[in-house]
């Protein structure tokens, strides 16, 4: 707890005319206000905290921080600031005494591979006997708790609240996905990292970052800021096969460095590998020995994820025997090259690939393990980076035998407008076999109807997601369930 005057001085605000009280909590959701809380009004995309100050007062708030005039009068102090988000980013970590300094924080950033990498690291550390927490795209989990994620990286308010609880639960290590949004929008302010990992940087989120250089710069913030906490023995772990690795290495302020690549002169590299449909053999060289194991997942992209996880394990001193055992027992993350099985003589795979690089990676893997034809179903999200739409179509055309263009999460965009943008990437419209089917369920059904023995149906874009966003409504939609039901409808029964 802090006193109100102490928090205001931290913001360089004169508190001499404001009654000083003990602040029990700091929140930006009026529904979460409890007696003694400080309420910060934050303007969001759809909801403005300034409209809920009366509810905050009624729930027991002792003061309000706002950036614009309020429509109603209050009997509690209203502290005006220029930017409430900036104030929140400064106050909240300070109020909670910077919980990230009390645990080891491992941050993984990159366009693709964050979820799989963090899950492998989480399992390695857990198998090594540590109390571990995971914060990522799918969920937040620690000490028997499971919280469904809203963002890849929570905002500063939610993040600091959950870090405090993690510390109170005895967590030693926090493994966290760090998105470019979180870095650019300063969601991780006051969060201090021990290890920073780069998976890769390819085109994505240019709707926010405007150009690729800005996107790379945002990713680099995780590495350039790593020394500011004063933590000892910090590490950066960088994929040297990525073109941006030189920049990331240059801006990094970590005390120690580990590099990895597929077949280069790096700290961690691959000596050999053999891919199968649902597994792969891989042999990896490290500075402390060699690991050779059979892993129940597949793809070159997953070899990169494994190398980065191995590097993290080495940086925190986990024995290679524990790493090997973990890899041999690891199962693919939900919606990452996930097989849908119903006794059919062809493969059906659901994958989260929603960027040009991600789609190319899964299709190259699919091609490598498929004897028959490759049928690809994918779409692009609405109100997001539109420049990648035709690029992804070109990648699907080049690497597939049949392409089915469909909706992803159209959001507030017209689905056919999105599909028109995507279709522009089909270079040879006369010879390429492709279909434009806006309804995603119908598109998946069409792919399964077309599939023959030894083919593969790749359903890309949504992966683990169990919903579809259509204009102002969100409907239940899970590619895996839709595909399974489609298989049943054409006569296949799960063994």
């Amino acid at each position: 707890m802090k006193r109100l005057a102490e928090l205001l001085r931290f913001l360089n605000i004169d508190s001499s005319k404001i009654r000083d009280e003990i602040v029990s909590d700091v929140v930006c959701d009026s529904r979460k206000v409890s007696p003694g809380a400080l309420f910060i009004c934050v303007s969001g995309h759809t909801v403005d905290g300034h409209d809920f100050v009366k509810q905050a007062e009624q729930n027991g708030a002792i003061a309000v921080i706002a950036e614009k005039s309020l429509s109603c009068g209050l009997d509690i102090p209203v502290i005006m600031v220029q930017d409430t988000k900036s104030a929140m980013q400064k106050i909240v970590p300070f109020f909670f005494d910077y919980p990230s300094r009390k645990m080891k924080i491992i941050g993984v950033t990159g366009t693709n591979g964050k979820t799989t990498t963090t899950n492998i690291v989480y399992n390695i550390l857990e198998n090594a006997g540590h109390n571990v927490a995971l914060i990522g795209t799918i969920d937040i989990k620690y000490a028997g708790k499971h919280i469904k994620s809203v963002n890849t990286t929570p905002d500063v308010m939610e993040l600091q609240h959950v870090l405090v609880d993690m510390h109170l639960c005895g967590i030693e290590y926090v493994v966290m996905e760090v998105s470019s949004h979180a870095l650019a929008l300063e969601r991780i302010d006051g969060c201090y990292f021990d290890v920073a990992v780069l998976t890769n940087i390819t085109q994505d989120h240019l709707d926010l970052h405007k150009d690729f250089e800005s996107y790379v710069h945002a990713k680099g913030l995780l590495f350039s800021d790593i020394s500011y906490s004063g933590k000892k023995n910090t590490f950066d772990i960088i994929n040297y096969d990525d073109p941006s690795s030189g920049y990331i290495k240059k801006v990094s302020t970590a005390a120690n460095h580990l590099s990895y690549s597929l077949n280069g002169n790096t700290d961690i590299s691959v000596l050999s590998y053999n891919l199968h449909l649902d597994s792969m053999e891989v042999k990896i060289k490290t500075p402390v020995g060699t690991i050779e194991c059979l892993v129940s997942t597949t793809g070159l992209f997953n070899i990169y994820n494994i190398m980065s996880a191995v590097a993290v394990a080495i940086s925190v001193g986990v024995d290679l025997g524990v790493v090997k055992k973990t890899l041999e027992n690891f199962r693919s993350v939900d919606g990452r090259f996930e097989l849908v099985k119903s006794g059919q003589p062809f493969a059906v795979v659901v994958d989260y690939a929603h960027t040009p690089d991600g789609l190319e990676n899964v299709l190259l893997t699919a091609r490598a393990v498929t004897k028959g034809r490759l049928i690809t179903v994918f779409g692009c999200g609405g109100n997001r980076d539109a420049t990648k739409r035709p690029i992804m179509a070109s990648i699907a055309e080049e690497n597939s035998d049949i392409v089915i263009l469909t909706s992803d999460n159209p959001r507030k965009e017209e689905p056919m407008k999105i599909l028109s943008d995507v279709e522009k990437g089909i270079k040879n419209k006369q010879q390429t076999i492709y279909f434009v089917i806006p309804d995603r369920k119908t598109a998946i059904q069409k792919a399964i109807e077309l599939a023959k023995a030894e083919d593969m149906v790749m359903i890309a874009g949504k992966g683990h997601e169990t919903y579809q966003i259509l204009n102002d409504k969100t409907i239940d939609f899970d590619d895996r369930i839709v595909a399974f039901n489609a298989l049943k409808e054409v006569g296949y029964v799960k063994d």
Side-chain angles (χ1 to χ4, degrees):
M1 291 187 183
K2 297 281 192 298
R3 301 196 70 88
L4 179 59
E6 188 178 6
L7 295 177
L8 297 183
R9 283 197 299 271
F10 191 74
L11 290 177
N12 295 318
I13 294 174
D14 181 10
S15 62
S16 60
K17 297 181 180 180
I18 299 173
R19 187 176 66 184
D20 191 19
E21 296 187 60
I22 293 176
V23 179
S24 63
D25 199 0
V26 181
V27 295
C28 60
D29 184 337
S30 62
R31 296 167 298 181
K32 296 180 179 179
V33 171
S34 57
L38 172 64
F39 180 63
I40 302 179
C41 303
V42 175
S43 302
H45 293 296
T46 57
V47 177
D48 189 344
H50 293 82
D51 298 331
F52 297 91
V53 291
K54 203 64 181 177
Q55 291 92 322
E57 181 182 38
Q58 291 168 353
N59 288 340
I62 60 166
V64 167
I65 293 181
E67 65 184 16
K68 57 187 177 183
S69 59
L70 304 178
S71 59
C72 61
L74 299 178
D75 293 326
I76 57 176
V78 177
I79 299 109
M80 299 300 296
V81 298
Q82 188 172 1
D83 185 340
T84 54
K85 284 186 179 179
S86 177
M88 179 176 70
Q89 287 155 354
K90 292 176 182 176
I91 281 181
V92 177
F94 171 69
F95 176 80
F96 288 116
D97 292 322
Y98 302 98
S100 65
R101 285 177 172 164
K102 303 165 187 176
M103 300 173 286
K104 289 189 179 295
I105 314 294
I106 298 164
V108 180
T109 196
T111 308
N112 303 302
K114 296 187 295 295
T115 300
T116 297
T117 297
T118 52
N119 273 269
I120 296 173
V121 172
Y122 175 88
N123 281 287
I124 289 173
L125 291 171
E126 194 171 53
N127 290 338
H130 296 291
N131 292 325
V132 194
L134 176 71
I135 300 175
T137 300
I138 299 175
D139 55 10
I140 298 171
K141 56 183 179 181
Y142 63 100
K145 301 182 182 184
H146 234 103
I147 305 166
K148 188 175 180 180
S149 295
V150 176
N151 297 309
T152 297
T153 311
D155 64 34
V156 67
M157 187 74 77
E158 181 187 356
L159 179 57
Q160 295 299 321
H161 272 87
V162 78
L163 287 173
V164 166
D165 195 43
M166 287 174 176
H167 175 61
L168 293 174
C169 289
I171 294 300
E172 302 169 75
Y173 287 90
V174 180
V175 188
M176 184 192 310
E177 293 185 48
V178 183
S179 68
S180 62
H181 281 69
L183 289 158
L185 301 177
E186 301 178 332
R187 291 180 191 161
I188 60 168
D189 272 20
C191 187
Y192 299 113
F193 293 85
D194 296 85
V195 182
V197 181
L198 175 71
T199 59
N200 50 61
I201 307 179
T202 60
Q203 181 176 338
D204 199 15
H205 302 308
L206 298 192
D207 51 311
L208 171 69
H209 301 290
K210 305 309 177 188
D211 57 52
F212 188 73
E213 289 72 23
S214 299
Y215 181 43
V216 172
H217 174 76
K219 293 291 189 186
L221 293 173
L222 178 64
F223 299 83
S224 61
D225 292 348
I226 196 169
S227 68
Y228 293 162
S229 67
K231 284 185 170 183
K232 307 296 183 183
N233 205 35
T234 54
F235 271 85
D236 65 45
I237 295 170
I238 300 175
N239 173 10
Y240 268 30
D241 286 343
D242 189 86
S244 299
S245 60
Y247 170 78
I248 299 299
K249 179 66 174 70
K250 180 180 178 181
V251 300
S252 176
T253 57
N256 302 283
H257 172 70
L258 284 173
S259 58
Y260 68 97
S261 67
L262 193 61
N263 48 21
N265 185 25
T266 49
D267 298 307
I268 292 94
S269 61
V270 175
L271 298 176
S272 63
Y273 65 88
N274 190 16
L275 304 181
H276 309 290
L277 179 61
D278 58 358
S279 64
M280 60 185 175
E281 294 112 13
V282 61
K283 187 175 183 180
I284 297 174
K285 174 186 73 72
T286 83
V288 293
T290 298
I291 302 176
E292 188 170 5
C293 53
L294 175 65
V295 187
S296 295
T297 188
T298 193
L300 282 175
F301 53 93
N302 273 323
I303 293 178
Y304 278 102
N305 296 334
I306 288 170
M307 284 193 291
S308 61
V310 169
V312 172
I314 291 170
S315 74
V316 297
V318 175
D319 183 80
L320 278 189
V322 174
V323 177
K324 174 180 169 67
K325 184 178 179 180
T326 303
L327 293 174
E328 290 176 337
N329 288 283
F330 182 75
R331 296 293 178 269
S332 180
V333 177
D334 287 350
R336 272 64 175 177
F337 215 87
E338 183 174 351
L339 290 166
V340 178
K341 299 178 181 180
S342 188
Q344 76 275 12
F346 52 87
V348 176
V349 175
V350 170
D351 194 271
Y352 190 51
H354 59 283
T355 66
D357 180 65
L359 184 62
E360 184 174 34
N361 283 334
V362 296
L363 293 183
L364 288 173
T365 293
R367 180 63 79 190
V369 298
T370 302
K371 294 180 180 178
R373 301 172 304 166
L374 179 54
I375 303 169
T376 300
V377 181
F378 86 99
C380 292
N383 304 118
R384 295 294 186 269
D385 177 14
T387 62
K388 69 182 182 182
R389 294 171 182 173
I391 298 172
M392 291 180 68
S394 296
I395 289 169
E397 178 185 31
E398 182 178 348
N399 295 285
S400 311
D401 297 289
I402 300 173
V403 179
I404 301 178
L405 309 180
T406 190
S407 295
D408 190 282
N409 290 317
R411 298 182 178 86
K412 293 184 181 296
E413 272 197 80
E414 172 57 45
M416 287 308 300
K417 167 62 171 65
I418 298 171
L419 286 169
S420 176
D421 290 343
V422 176
E423 191 179 3
K424 290 174 183 175
I426 302 292
K427 298 173 182 175
N428 195 336
K429 292 182 171 60
Q430 302 304 316
Q431 295 185 10
T432 299
I433 303 173
Y434 78 99
F435 302 86
V436 179
I437 305 176
D439 181 72
R440 193 172 180 92
K441 179 179 178 181
T442 305
I444 292 171
Q445 290 171 331
K446 177 68 173 179
I448 285 171
E449 289 169 4
L450 290 171
K452 300 176 181 178
E454 298 189 329
D455 288 350
M456 177 183 287
V457 174
M458 171 61 67
I459 305 169
K462 291 176 61 59
H464 65 280
E465 292 180 352
T466 57
Y467 59 85
Q468 189 175 28
I469 305 172
L470 307 169
N471 202 349
D472 290 324
K473 65 179 181 179
T474 299
I475 64 170
D476 291 335
F477 197 100
D478 189 320
D479 283 352
R480 298 160 295 187
I481 294 173
V482 172
F484 183 79
N485 290 337
L487 288 165
K488 286 178 64 178
E489 287 173 12
V490 295
Y492 299 109
V493 180
K494 188 173 182 179
D495 294 334

